[in-house]
Amino acid sequence: MLDLAEELHRWAEEGRDFAVATVVAVGGSAPRGPGAALAVDSDGTAIGSVSGGCVEGAVYDLCVEALQDGRVALERFGYSDEDAFAVGLTCGGVLDVLVVPVRADTPALAAWLAAAARGETVALARVTRGPADLLGGALLVHADGSYAGTLMDGSPRSGSAAGAGPSDSAAGTGPNRDSVETGPNRDSVETGPERDAVETGPERDAVETGPERDGGAGASWTREGGGGAALEATAAAEARAMLDAGRTGTVEISEDGANCPGGVTLFVESSVPPPRMIVFGAVDFAAALVRAGKFLGHHVTVCDARPVFATRNRFPEADEVVVDWPHRYLRNTTTDHRTVLCVLTHDAKFDIPLLEAALRLPVAYVGAMGSRRTHEDRERRLREVGLTDPELARLRSPIGLDLGARTPEETALSIAAEIVASRRGGSGVPLTGNGLPIHHDRVTARVVRAS
């Protein structure tokens, strides 16, 4: 849902009510991953997508229904091989979709929408499985561990995942969940022609909410003894850990607030600043790579020691153009595990000190342009300055995938394709006839933490 934050924030400021359907779990070859969202406002306007077209109509109807009855719903969509016209995923995958109605005057949700729209580092943790009155409950978690919102029945609460206890000073979040029926049993995945639709009638046998229930995953939540506060503190701490890693995915905790897997499943969406791409070398190929990097969602910096080449006029689409020695700039700038470094200078006086520093940083990708002869000479020089075999193994050189590229634009495509394959775990070989999975997502993998 965070990918729609800017537009949803505008809707909230305009006083529009809306419902948001978010993919919270996938199985098989699903077209979109966890976090993909579709939103519908009270006028019927829709933005976003959860499936790329397969089940959009049915999800739209669920959003309209949620706006009308104010209920949170959890739906499962799977492939139908018996009825070609049944609602399902023709690619053979399974999606679990959480549908939540949002009132425009909900303070905590407005707060996280605003924070995400501003590009702040925040996480949204929502309950997708658990007691009936927790389903759809949400916490906004900041990088410092502070949090606001509630997993309970709308009671205001705030606190800190770093250990401070909750208080009554923050506004609550989410719609009135007293009327919410709990979601389906998500311990098994059905892929037959029927959707595992969440029913709201009293005859549903999948989940009971009466007092006679045992202490299973769908039991009513007991707030006596401060259990709710412990649950929220643990949920915030788990969300903060996901945020620290820049990850979106699920995590399980127990109903009593312990960290061990139990009856509550949280879906955590992390909003983090865009990953950095630093292009070293203000050459013609760099201009095309800047455009490709921006297309992939990176914050792109061009760095070159030659002021005559490193100019804003030559790279208007770059976020930053820096005149500095590449190795010196790299040592003084901020990088992280998502940062991509592309060395296009193919000049030893720039490359060697730069790569000596780059290959010792915990970044996502380091690639260097040059011929195979240039690469062999470069590798020899890097060994002479002390780089080890494991460090050298991280270097993508010659940079890019073998596409037969000739032009700067084709070369940029080759480099961008290798960056995506590196990030997602792809092989880089044609999909036709290889029998390999289409999706290799490493970022949104399921997380289950043990005590």
Side-chain angles (χ1 to χ4, degrees):
M1 178 162 61
L2 289 172
D3 59 346
L4 304 180
E6 187 171 351
E7 183 69 10
L8 295 181
H9 176 51
R10 184 175 65 82
W11 282 8
E13 287 190 320
E14 292 174 354
R16 300 197 217 178
D17 294 340
F18 54 89
V20 183
T22 307
V23 176
V24 296
V26 300
S29 182
R32 299 201 66 192
L38 180 146
V40 180
D41 73 358
S42 52
D43 294 329
T45 301
I47 58 173
S49 171
V50 295
S51 69
C54 302
V55 298
E56 304 297 321
V59 174
Y60 179 94
D61 291 340
L62 287 172
C63 289
V64 172
E65 183 179 335
L67 279 169
Q68 293 171 347
D69 62 23
R71 296 189 176 204
V72 175
L74 184 62
E75 287 270 356
R76 175 164 292 167
F77 296 93
Y79 176 64
S80 170
D81 55 6
E82 294 183 8
D83 182 356
F85 298 99
V87 175
L89 299 171
T90 56
C91 58
V94 177
L95 295 180
D96 282 355
V97 179
L98 181 69
V99 183
V100 180
V102 180
R103 305 307 172 193
D105 58 353
T106 306
L109 283 182
W112 72 256
L113 285 173
R118 290 192 297 266
E120 296 180 9
T121 301
V122 291
L124 180 68
R126 288 183 287 166
V127 178
T128 61
R129 185 177 69 89
D133 52 359
L134 299 188
L135 186 65
L139 292 180
L140 171 67
V141 182
H142 296 276
D144 64 0
S146 62
Y147 62 91
T150 182
L151 300 184
M152 305 306 149
D153 56 359
S155 303
R157 193 179 300 276
S158 66
S160 171
S167 68
D168 294 328
S169 60
T173 182
N176 183 344
R177 284 184 292 279
D178 289 341
S179 61
V180 176
E181 301 283 347
T182 191
N185 183 344
R186 299 179 59 235
D187 291 337
S188 61
V189 176
E190 299 283 339
T191 57
E194 299 82 17
R195 281 184 313 172
D196 291 347
V198 179
E199 299 178 1
T200 57
E203 70 281 1
R204 188 182 57 185
D205 59 1
V207 178
E208 297 178 340
T209 58
E212 68 279 2
R213 277 277 302 191
D214 59 24
S220 297
W221 176 250
T222 301
R223 298 176 185 79
E224 298 175 359
L231 177 66
E232 288 181 344
T234 299
E238 294 291 342
R240 184 189 183 189
M242 296 280 279
L243 181 61
D244 287 344
R247 301 183 67 173
T248 288
T250 58
V251 61
E252 293 184 1
I253 59 178
S254 65
E255 296 179 43
D256 61 2
N259 290 88
C260 54
V264 177
T265 300
L266 300 170
F267 177 66
V268 180
E269 292 179 89
S270 295
S271 172
V272 295
R276 296 194 67 188
M277 171 186 280
I278 308 178
V279 180
F280 296 99
V283 297
D284 289 343
F285 290 95
L289 185 56
V290 166
R291 293 192 292 272
K294 293 298 293 180
F295 178 75
L296 292 177
H298 291 270
H299 179 280
V300 182
T301 301
V302 175
C303 175
D304 197 300
R306 302 165 296 177
V308 67
F309 296 112
T311 66
R312 174 58 64 182
N313 287 338
R314 283 170 54 82
F315 302 99
E317 296 175 81
D319 295 289
E320 299 173 293
V321 179
V322 176
V323 178
D324 199 352
W325 278 82
H327 70 282
R328 184 168 61 192
Y329 174 73
L330 182 59
R331 286 181 175 139
N332 292 322
T333 194
T334 300
T335 60
D336 62 22
H337 66 283
R338 302 179 301 148
T339 301
V340 168
L341 305 178
C342 299
V343 181
L344 309 186
T345 50
H346 51 80
D347 184 331
K349 68 176 177 290
F350 295 120
D351 290 1
I352 301 308
L354 171 60
L355 290 171
E356 181 185 0
L359 293 171
R360 288 170 172 159
L361 290 175
V363 295
Y365 175 93
V366 181
M369 179 176 280
S371 66
R372 297 198 183 278
R373 177 179 296 179
T374 298
H375 168 69
E376 291 173 1
D377 178 69
R378 179 189 291 139
E379 187 175 72
R380 177 183 59 79
R381 291 171 182 264
L382 290 172
R383 289 185 187 280
E384 289 175 355
V385 297
L387 263 69
T388 64
D389 286 341
E391 289 168 339
L392 288 171
R394 299 181 58 219
L395 177 60
R396 305 289 183 126
S397 175
I399 195 171
L401 297 183
D402 180 13
L403 303 184
R406 292 281 185 177
T407 68
E409 290 73 20
E410 290 173 346
T411 301
L413 177 62
S414 166
I415 297 169
E418 185 175 53
I419 290 170
V420 173
S422 174
R423 181 172 73 233
R424 300 299 189 187
S427 65
V429 302
L431 291 172
T432 303
N434 66 25
L436 297 174
I438 295 175
H439 302 293
H440 306 262
D441 199 334
R442 293 175 172 175
V443 176
T444 56
R446 179 175 176 80
V447 176
V448 178
R449 299 185 183 277
S451 57

